[in-house]
Amino acid sequence: LPVLRLEQDVLMPLTGKSKLFVYKSDTFWCQIKEPASALACSSMYLDHFKEHRPHLLAKPAASVKADMNRAPSAGDFGVGVGSTKLYVSGTAIIHPTAKVHPSAKIGPNVSIAAGVEVGPGARLKDCIILEDVSIKDHSVVRDAIIGWSSSIGRWSRVQGEPAKPTIFGAGVTANNEIIVSNCIVLPHKSISQSQRDEIIL
């Protein structure tokens, strides 16, 4: 098959025939071609919500830092965006059914979907957490997209870089006390040891 180039083979001929039109929008637009673009777009949406729909964003609680001195209980969760116990830094959107422990630090630029559970002492920054993910106690998730029904063990670290985020497919399990850095993990894989710069098939 010959290569079809959108700009040269499609758009330019349409322009010459006056068959190409423009739709002008006053809002932002972001092209998503790769995972890093998805995180950047998510950040733009959160900034947009901050200006135009702030009621959708999670709000930090003034009393959370005082509560940090007590030992967290595994059953002591703040729930969703309406909770008054969330420790939020910057912009974050949290589904009302998500369970986030008050000692977990969320943000900036975090999206948490329905049914997610975030344990005590966890840290989430610049990430997208899809439905039914479990993030255990004292884990760190940074510059990552975590797929549906995945699980991150206690004291584990899942991290990427802004230009190369870590991606978990659906149903991925990362065991306790490991580091997964700059990896792409295909669905339904179990990671039992630390990994760096790998595609896990």
Side-chain angles (χ1 to χ4, degrees):
L1 293 174
V3 175
L4 178 67
R5 300 165 300 172
L6 179 65
E7 291 85 3
Q8 291 89 356
D9 299 330
V10 177
L11 298 181
M12 287 180 71
L14 288 175
T15 303
K17 295 176 183 176
S18 297
K19 293 185 177 183
L20 181 67
F21 301 94
V22 173
Y23 174 77
K24 183 180 177 187
S25 173
D26 294 330
T27 61
F28 69 88
W29 180 83
C30 181
Q31 185 175 14
I32 300 175
K33 286 188 172 182
E34 54 190 36
S37 300
L39 286 175
C41 186
S42 177
S43 174
M44 289 167 55
Y45 260 107
L46 291 171
D47 288 341
H48 177 76
F49 287 162
K50 184 177 181 181
E51 293 295 319
H52 301 284
R53 300 177 78 183
H55 63 281
L56 295 176
L57 298 176
K59 293 169 184 57
S63 62
V64 170
K65 290 186 180 178
D67 291 342
M68 299 294 280
N69 293 327
R70 67 178 178 80
S73 163
D76 185 21
F77 284 91
V79 178
V81 75
S83 174
T84 58
K85 297 181 177 181
L86 296 176
Y87 187 179
V88 178
S89 170
T91 55
I93 190 163
I94 301 172
H95 192 275
T97 63
K99 294 181 179 181
V100 180
H101 194 275
S103 68
K105 185 174 180 184
I106 309 298
N109 303 325
V110 173
S111 295
I112 298 176
V116 171
E117 189 168 307
V118 180
R123 174 70 171 106
L124 279 64
K125 180 178 185 278
D126 297 312
C127 59
I128 298 171
I129 311 298
L130 298 177
E131 286 86 354
D132 301 316
V133 169
S134 175
I135 299 171
K136 305 292 185 189
D137 309 2
H138 307 289
S139 294
V140 174
V141 179
R142 182 179 64 94
D143 294 306
I145 300 172
I146 307 300
W148 304 268
S149 303
S150 292
S151 176
I152 298 171
R154 290 175 176 83
W155 294 98
S156 289
R157 187 174 184 100
V158 176
Q159 64 185 25
E161 298 169 2
K164 188 180 178 186
T166 288
I167 310 296
F168 276 17
V172 172
T173 301
N175 288 357
N176 295 338
E177 301 177 10
I178 64 170
I179 299 172
V180 181
S181 182
N182 300 336
C183 291
I184 296 173
V185 185
L186 270 60
H188 309 292
K189 299 296 174 189
S190 182
I191 306 169
S192 59
Q193 60 187 10
S194 293
Q195 301 286 339
R196 181 177 183 84
D197 298 314
E198 295 286 341
I199 297 175
I200 301 171
L201 304 173

